[in-house]
Amino acid sequence: MSRKTRVPVALVAGLVASVLSVAAPSAQADDLVTHHEFQANCSVTHHRPDDPIVFPRLPGASHMHTFLGNPTTTAATTTDSLKAGQTNCKTPDDKSAYWFPTLYNGDQVVAPSGPQVVYYKSGVLDYRQVRSFPAGLRFVTGSPSATQDQFRTAPGAVEGWECGDSFKNWDFPSWCAPGSQLNIRYQAPSCWNGRDLDSADHKSHMAYPDRATLVCPSTHPVPVPMLEFKMAFPVSGDMSRVRLSSGRGYTWHYDFMMAWDGPTLQALVSHCINGGLQCDPRGYDQYKPDRGAALGPDYRLPR
């Protein structure tokens, strides 16, 4: 096709609509694709100065972390020990470990209350190519040593810290409207090198897609689900004493150890991410009920 200096607006709109309407083979022809995600809803289990990725088998060597999902997570945790453990995640066959630096208001721990949302999304343009996480994958996202500018410009940063009508705070806001919550969203890399389940810095085996094309780099050619932690902390008013165990707000980071049941995760990836749906933890899109759910009423894969 020859290049032209101007393209009719109607033609551009038509092309965009055509791209958005592409869906998995099981979708209806008129099924508009606007999302490609599902949720893991997990609650806080405990706080502990452990990090089984960065400081394995060294209890107390880390700053304090807040753990979600699997209550057995300690410095000695392995993939096998997670799978032998339990979980408070809505999907009972997700025994993965999720953790982040503990939030304090002065000396008081502020823990997210109730189920928190970890999104599993497509980070690449062609969401149909996203593959399930390999068993045993682990990584760290963000950095406890980041500067404010590094946090602001990081590929994973979404809107910084938020509360009430205050957005794009790259450190904690000085004031939050009473009764509001302090929120953070941060996205993990979604391209895997296809070989390593971990790396020396716990990051190099993963990479972000190219920002312009949303395509994985050749060094990390395998698109996997993009985790997006969305945490809500019940703290408001004067925020001058709010801090993370790792330091200022821009030291936010989190860790993930994969311990899903493989077929269950694959079913959610195939149905929701590859299928272009906006799913809850059961793999059900309430806006497209005709597509059904990936899991049964007990949030388990039908056997």
Side-chain angles (χ1 to χ4, degrees):
M1 179 183 296
S2 60
R3 298 189 63 180
K4 299 180 180 180
T5 56
R6 300 185 65 181
V7 179
V9 173
L11 177 57
V12 172
L15 289 172
V16 171
S18 297
V19 170
L20 287 175
S21 64
V22 173
S26 61
Q28 300 297 318
D30 60 349
D31 202 2
L32 185 68
V33 172
T34 55
H35 292 82
H36 18 71
E37 65 184 43
F38 65 91
Q39 296 181 17
N41 289 0
C42 310
S43 300
V44 171
T45 56
H46 58 292
H47 312 277
R48 199 178 180 107
D50 290 352
D51 190 324
I53 294 179
V54 179
F55 298 107
R57 299 174 300 280
L58 293 173
S62 173
H63 52 252
M64 191 68 73
H65 281 110
T66 296
F67 294 85
L68 305 178
N70 197 315
T72 69
T73 312
T74 68
T77 288
T78 64
T79 300
D80 288 341
S81 72
L82 289 174
K83 289 185 174 182
Q86 300 298 318
T87 186
N88 65 22
C89 295
K90 192 74 172 178
T91 307
D93 289 315
D94 175 15
K95 295 185 178 181
S96 303
Y98 308 89
W99 67 95
F100 49 84
T102 300
L103 186 82
Y104 291 89
N105 187 5
D107 295 326
Q108 180 81 32
V109 170
V110 180
S113 56
Q116 300 299 297
V117 179
V118 178
Y119 289 104
Y120 283 65
K121 299 184 174 186
S122 173
V124 296
L125 184 62
D126 190 353
Y127 54 89
R128 296 164 299 179
Q129 298 301 313
V130 175
R131 289 170 47 181
S132 187
F133 285 132
L137 184 73
R138 61 194 65 191
F139 56 77
V140 178
T141 298
S143 173
S145 62
T147 65
Q148 184 168 340
D149 192 57
Q150 287 171 334
F151 178 67
R152 180 183 63 81
T153 59
V158 180
E159 295 286 341
W161 295 93
E162 307 173 349
C163 62
D165 295 327
S166 180
F167 302 92
K168 294 187 181 296
N169 298 291
W170 306 111
D171 197 356
F172 296 124
S174 59
W175 174 264
C176 287
S180 64
Q181 294 191 98
L182 182 66
N183 297 283
I184 182 70
R185 290 188 297 136
Y186 201 95
Q187 297 174 340
S190 56
C191 300
W192 176 47
N193 68 10
R195 300 184 311 273
D196 304 310
L197 301 178
D198 200 353
S199 50
D201 62 357
H202 313 296
K203 296 181 179 184
S204 298
H205 58 305
M206 304 293 295
Y208 287 93
D210 180 89
R211 279 186 164 182
T213 63
L214 295 182
V215 172
C216 284
S218 60
T219 55
H220 295 73
V222 183
V224 293
M226 178 195 71
L227 296 191
E228 181 182 296
F229 274 41
K230 184 179 181 182
M231 302 293 116
F233 299 90
V235 61
S236 60
D238 179 12
M239 305 289 284
S240 62
R241 301 185 69 209
V242 172
R243 61 183 175 88
L244 293 171
S245 59
S246 54
R248 302 285 292 270
Y250 44 79
T251 67
W252 174 257
H253 58 284
Y254 60 83
D255 300 50
F256 170 67
M257 287 184 73
M258 150 72 180
W260 278 86
D261 169 69
T264 301
L265 179 59
Q266 183 59 63
L268 288 164
V269 170
S270 297
H271 185 69
C272 300
I273 297 180
N274 302 149
L277 297 178
Q278 183 180 13
C279 293
D280 64 13
R282 189 184 165 210
Y284 176 76
D285 186 339
Q286 63 176 332
Y287 302 104
K288 299 175 184 175
D290 58 299
R291 297 284 296 278
L295 307 179
D298 60 353
Y299 291 81
R300 284 199 144 106
L301 192 66
R303 305 289 184 182

